[in-house]
Every structure is written in C-alpha cells, then in structure tokens.
Amino acid sequence: MTTLDRYLLREALGHYFLGLGAIVLLFLAGAVYEVLAPLVAKGADPYTLLLYLLYRTPEALVRGSPVAYLFALLLLLSRMAEDSELKALLALGIRRERVLLPLLALGGVLALLGFALGESLVPRSLAAGQDLLRRQVLERPRTLLTPGASFQDAKGRVVYVGEVSGDRIGKLRILSREEVVLAEEGRFGGGVLRVERGLRITYEGDRPRTVTRFQRGELVLKDLTFEPWQNPANRMTLRELRQEVERLRQAGVKAGLEATTYHRRFAEPAASLIFALFAVGLAFYLLGGSRSLGLVGVAVLTFFYYATWSVGRIMGEQNALNPLLAAWGPNLVYGLLGLLLFLGGRR
C-alpha cells in the first residue's frame, strides 16, 4: 500500500465514520419519534426503550453506510480540489484511476460488510426488537389501555375495558359469537389476563344456552402492540424473501413489497462501489473548470440519492414500479453519471 493509498483511506474513513454517526443518530431519533415516544408517554420501562434502540442500531448502520460513504467521498474530494491537491497529483503524473482504486476497494469492503450484516444480524435484531416490545406490552399492557379501550385475546374474543386504575382493570366484557363474559376485575401477568368474579353466558344461535358464575378465570392474550415497522419483509432473510415472493406470485398476488426488499438487499450495499466512481468522476470533472463542489453541493447530492432511493422504494413496494428498477434505479442513475463524469473529467 502506497502513501497515497493510506492517505486517501485514512481521510475517507474519518469522514465516513463522522457521517455514519450522524445518520445513525438521525435514524434512531426517527425511531424514538415514531415508535418509542407513544410508549414512553404511557409508562414504558426506560431500560426496555434503550434495549430496543440497540436492536435498531444494526439496521441504521447498514442503511446509513452507503449514504455516509457518499457524503465522505464528496466532502473529501471537494476539500482536496479546493486545496489543489488533485491538481498536484495530476502534475506529478498520477492518473485519476490511481485515485479511484483505493476508494473503490474501500467501497467494496463496505459493500460486503453491509451485505453480510443485512443478511444475518439485521433481520435477527429487528425480530428481537419486535419481540421485546411485544413482551413489554403483554407484561404491562395496562400502560396502553384507557377506559373504553378494546383488544383481542388469543381466541379472537373482543375484550372491552370499562375501568382502569393502576394495576387493576375492571368492568370487563369479553364478547364472541358463542359467548359473553362479564367480569368485575382483571389483572395482567406474563401474557395472561386473569379475571375475577364474573358471569359467563353461552349462546346457541340467538338464544342463551348456559349461564355460569365464576370466581377466577384466565385469558391468553394476543399481541397488543402495534407493528413497529411498516415493512415486515425487513425481518426476513434472502431465502425467506425469495420463498415468500414465489408463494405470492403463485397465488396471483403482486409481491411488490417483498420483491423490492429482496433486490434492495443487493442494491443498497453495492451503492458504495457506485459512489466511489461518481465522487471521483465529479471531482475531476469540476477540476477542469476550477470549480469546487462545496459543503452545500455535498449535502444536496447526498440528499438527492436518499430522496431517489426513498421514492423508488415506496413505488416498488406499492407495485407502481418494477421491483428490480425500484431497487437498482438510484444506483443506475449515479453509476451512469459517474461514468460520464469520469470519462469527461480532467486527466
């Protein structure tokens, strides 16, 4: 490894980690706003919330890595252009390809690492985060209940809550087609609702069949929490995604969400390689006219990728765009632009 390679890699990694840290914080802040804030307001345990954020961190790292690398390269090469370092390299006979090579290699390493984490750690951590929230709500569901609220038990029966007072809920009505259960009091514990002092009425058609009084009973609860991610496919492995796509297509159902997620597993990590070509090509192209990208330009180009990535993802998941194009479209745009800029830049 030459001195130039070490210099470029050191500077690129410094900017990369800085950008990645900022993106991860923004991502987790969004999770707090969308998912955790309602739970905090209703009394969720702080330790549980912190642990949930840790479970979401791998996803934030994998999603943020390509964007952080684009930001790092644009910022680094823009600074090198302003300081005339790129011109000095050209004057010494160092070609653009020599600058691209180490950055391309680093992009390849980041792509492989992102793909490996996206296929292994991320699905498991997302599933563990959801299980954590489910356990939190099942163990302390009263924090989410108010008088007049309703939920379902594991048998599909609807439970109406009449009173809420601390650990106790009361005036319960449990309804289904076959029976009606009235209970004076209920308490939660370990995913079970224990009811006390009640009346159970079973029906045959429209007529009551039996009327029974009881002192205690138990209802196994169904998940009371909300779905914290709009895309459950993020918690699947590639093999599971492929099987799900095939199953849905055989059933005649459009699998835009699952297919787009499947292709994005490859496209998102590969973006790091594309960004190396784009950033180097843009830097040397602007160098020919003695222009500098500047911090504003770096931010705009980084945001533009994120915007196109988000729009493509939504359109693919909603079956408004071919999943393959939705996943690879932003990479294709930046790759073609990077190739044209690289070929037309100053040599």
Side-chain angles (χ1 to χ4, degrees), residues 204-238:
E204 185 174 356
D206 296 332
R207 297 182 178 181
R209 185 174 61 179
T210 63
V211 178
T212 308
R213 290 190 177 274
F214 64 89
Q215 289 298 315
R216 294 180 180 85
E218 291 186 353
L219 284 78
V220 179
L221 299 178
K222 187 178 180 180
D223 184 11
L224 302 183
T225 188
F226 51 88
E227 174 62 42
W229 305 283
Q230 295 182 358
N231 184 1
N234 286 334
R235 301 189 298 275
M236 298 181 183
T237 63
L238 284 173

Side-chain angles (χ1 to χ4, degrees), residues 48-62:
T48 300
L49 304 182
L50 178 60
L51 190 58
Y52 173 73
L53 285 179
L54 292 178
Y55 282 132
R56 293 297 300 271
T57 301
E59 181 194 23
L61 289 171
V62 171

Side-chain angles (χ1 to χ4, degrees), residues 13-23 68 71 75:
L13 284 173
H15 290 86
Y16 167 77
F17 286 120
L18 179 64
L20 184 61
I23 292 172
F71 175 82
L75 193 61

Side-chain angles (χ1 to χ4, degrees), residues 6-16 72 76 79-80:
R6 289 195 296 271
Y7 173 74
L8 290 173
L9 293 177
R10 183 178 66 251
E11 294 295 317
L13 284 173
H15 290 86
Y16 167 77
L76 168 62
R79 195 268 304 164
M80 291 180 67

Side-chain angles (χ1 to χ4, degrees), residues 287-303:
L287 192 64
S290 298
R291 291 163 290 179
S292 175
L293 189 60
L295 183 60
V296 174
V298 170
V300 169
L301 287 174
T302 304
F303 176 78

